[in-house]
Amino acid sequence: MATVKSARKVDLQDSGSDLSEQIKAATQETHVRAETTQLMSNFQKGQITRTQYKVLLCSLYEIYTALEEEMDRNSSHPAVAPIYFPQELDRTEALESDLEFFLGPQWRSKIIFPAATHRYAQRLREIGKEKPELLVAHAYTRYLGDLSGGQVLGKLAQKALGLEGTDGLSFFSFPGVNSANRFKQLYRSRMNSIELTEEQRSDVLQEAVDAFNFNIQVFDDLQKMLSVTLESAEKPKESSRRALFPSASSVQITVGLCVGLVTMGIGLYSF
């Protein structure tokens, strides 16, 4: 994992006493690093294909399945209960709907995601079993990022993919949330009410930094994939490999691109 400034070194006098503000201060550096990548610029320009979007959905599904299963399992935990809003925030069913739209009824057999996504999901399950209070960091960065950027990203994806309606874009829709701004205020208030020891609070801040680093690792991997892929980009492709992903090298570049886009939900828009 990339070396970053430790969240434990954050000056709490500068960031305030609220947990949400402390997370914002602790992750400022990694947040900026995550949102200033070329991939995000491309997304803002609407440069995303259906193949890329399909793999993005696969990665999101793996991450949210792990996050929401652990949130459900720890719903009565004193650190999780205040921010447990499954009806308003859960993304798993929305992602299942989107995957079925793009991949068909047998979508589960077509799921593909890279090692970086698997590592992120593994971490979520690990802390869900051992330190549930750390789920606060991941829930905050994921859900509030999705609420902040969902509407804009949804419209960009709709235009880029040539979709006339909302089918395939359920991930960006939060029908249980009437006002994103008001709900985010409620969420921050609930999160700030969580009672944590000094050590637990410090661990949550570090976990928030780590959450961004899981995504930054993907960008590093992407650059390596691109350098290898570009060398063989002009080699003949086997037509039989074009059902969902054109070729093995194309799978690599697509996986990298789409997992990079996962970070946009938590990086492009301020919380």
Side-chain angles (χ1 to χ4, degrees):
M1 182 171 292
T3 301
V4 296
K5 179 179 68 175
S6 173
R8 303 177 194 279
K9 297 180 180 179
V10 173
D11 189 340
L12 300 185
Q13 291 182 347
D14 292 338
S15 60
S17 60
D18 288 343
L19 181 59
S20 60
E21 290 301 314
Q22 289 175 352
I23 288 180
K24 185 176 181 180
T27 60
Q28 183 176 5
E29 181 182 342
T30 46
H31 197 155
V32 171
R33 289 172 56 210
E35 70 182 358
T36 54
T37 64
Q38 186 60 47
L39 287 176
M40 292 187 181
S41 297
N42 290 341
F43 194 100
Q44 292 179 78
K45 296 174 184 177
Q47 297 176 352
I48 182 174
T49 68
R50 287 201 174 211
T51 300
Q52 293 168 351
Y53 189 66
K54 291 173 185 177
V55 185
L56 166 61
L57 292 177
C58 292
S59 289
L60 286 172
Y61 181 70
E62 177 72 2
I63 292 168
Y64 276 99
T65 297
L67 175 60
E68 289 169 3
E69 285 180 357
E70 294 308 318
M71 292 287 286
D72 290 344
R73 196 161 62 85
N74 292 283
S75 60
S76 61
H77 188 280
V80 175
I83 59 167
Y84 184 63
F85 293 95
Q87 294 184 347
E88 292 84 356
L89 297 178
D90 275 10
R91 301 289 82 202
T92 301
E93 289 188 8
L95 286 164
E96 290 176 348
S97 175
D98 290 344
L99 285 165
E100 183 172 0
F101 175 80
F102 284 107
L103 302 182
Q106 304 301 318
W107 62 269
R108 292 183 186 276
S109 64
K110 301 176 183 178
I111 289 288
I112 181 174
F113 50 83
T117 300
H118 181 63
R119 289 195 298 270
Y120 191 2
Q122 278 188 316
R123 177 56 179 170
L124 291 167
R125 297 190 186 283
E126 175 187 347
I127 63 177
K129 294 177 181 178
E130 300 177 0
K131 292 186 175 181
E133 65 273 11
L134 299 186
L135 291 171
V136 174
H138 293 279
Y140 173 75
T141 55
R142 286 243 55 98
Y143 289 125
L144 265 66
D146 295 334
L147 280 171
S148 297
Q151 294 300 312
V152 174
L153 292 176
K155 290 179 181 178
L156 286 172
Q158 183 181 41
K159 182 177 180 180
L161 300 175
L163 301 175
E164 296 183 358
T166 59
D167 290 343
L169 301 171
S170 297
F171 174 74
F172 300 108
S173 176
F174 290 82
V177 177
N178 293 325
S179 170
N181 288 333
R182 286 198 295 270
F183 186 85
K184 286 188 292 184
Q185 291 176 357
L186 170 64
Y187 194 94
R188 292 191 191 95
S189 177
R190 291 284 193 90
M191 187 172 70
N192 293 336
S193 72
I194 297 173
E195 295 185 6
L196 299 169
T197 66
E198 183 177 348
E199 181 178 1
Q200 288 175 327
R201 181 174 291 248
S202 184
D203 288 344
V204 168
L205 298 183
Q206 184 60 54
E207 192 69 24
V209 173
D210 292 345
F212 279 97
N213 277 323
F214 276 115
N215 291 283
I216 293 174
Q217 283 184 37
V218 176
F219 298 134
D220 293 337
D221 290 346
L222 171 62
Q223 297 307 316
K224 296 175 184 177
M225 291 177 184
L226 285 173
S227 63
V228 173
T229 302
L230 290 175
E231 293 179 359
S232 58
E234 296 182 0
K235 292 183 179 180
K237 309 288 193 304
E238 295 179 4
S239 59
S240 62
R241 299 288 301 252
R242 298 185 179 180
L244 175 59
F245 305 106
S247 66
S249 59
S250 294
V251 169
Q252 288 183 315
I253 187 172
T254 301
V255 167
L257 284 169
C258 293
V259 175
L261 293 174
V262 172
T263 310
M264 292 200 59
I266 62 175
L268 183 58
Y269 299 89
S270 61
F271 301 164

